[in-house]
Amino acid sequence: MKAKLLNMLPYLIVLVVDFYLLPVAAQNTGAAMLLMLCVMPLVAIVTGVAYGLRSGFSLLLSLMALILFIPTIFIYYNASAWVYAPFYAVIVLVGNGIGRAFYMKR
C-alpha cells in the first residue's frame, strides 16, 4: 500500500495544485465558475488518464481526489460546493478508466 501511495504522489501533487492553487487565480465569480467547470475538471481528467496510462486502474486515486477537495470547500467556497467533491472524484475515475484502457494494450 505504501508503494502504491508513493507511486501516486506526483499525481496527487497535481491534484493539490489543481484544487488549492487554481482557485486563488479566480478574481471574480465568472473566473471562478470557468475554473470550477472547465479548467479544474480538465486537469483532473488528464491526471486520471496519465495515472491510468502509467499505473493502471486505481479507485484509490479517485478517493484521494475526493478527500483532497473537501477542505477546499471550507477554504475557498461555501456549502453549495459540496456537489463538486464527488464530481471531481468521478472525473478522475473516468480519466483513470480511459488511461487504463490504453495501459492494457502495452
Side-chain angles (χ1 to χ4, degrees):
M1 180 73 159
K2 189 174 183 178
K4 193 170 193 172
L5 281 174
L6 194 58
N7 184 33
M8 198 178 286
L9 189 62
Y11 305 97
L12 294 176
I13 290 170
V14 170
L15 289 175
V16 165
V17 169
D18 184 28
F19 297 153
Y20 289 87
L21 295 181
L22 283 182
V24 175
Q27 297 178 0
N28 56 39
T29 304
M33 294 308 293
L34 178 70
L35 279 172
M36 286 192 76
L37 296 175
C38 296
V39 177
M40 290 171 66
L42 182 64
V43 171
I45 199 164
V46 168
T47 302
V49 169
Y51 182 81
L53 284 171
R54 299 195 125 237
S55 302
F57 188 77
S58 174
L59 285 174
L60 185 60
L61 182 66
S62 183
L63 178 65
M64 293 301 289
L66 176 77
I67 292 168
L68 286 172
F69 185 79
I70 289 174
T72 67
I73 295 168
F74 304 107
I75 297 170
Y76 298 112
Y77 312 114
N78 57 31
S80 66
W82 274 102
V83 351
Y84 289 106
F87 169 72
Y88 288 127
V90 168
I91 292 292
V92 170
L93 186 68
V94 167
N96 193 225
I98 292 168
R100 170 67 170 128
F102 292 103
Y103 175 77
M104 287 178 28
K105 294 180 181 177
R106 284 183 173 191

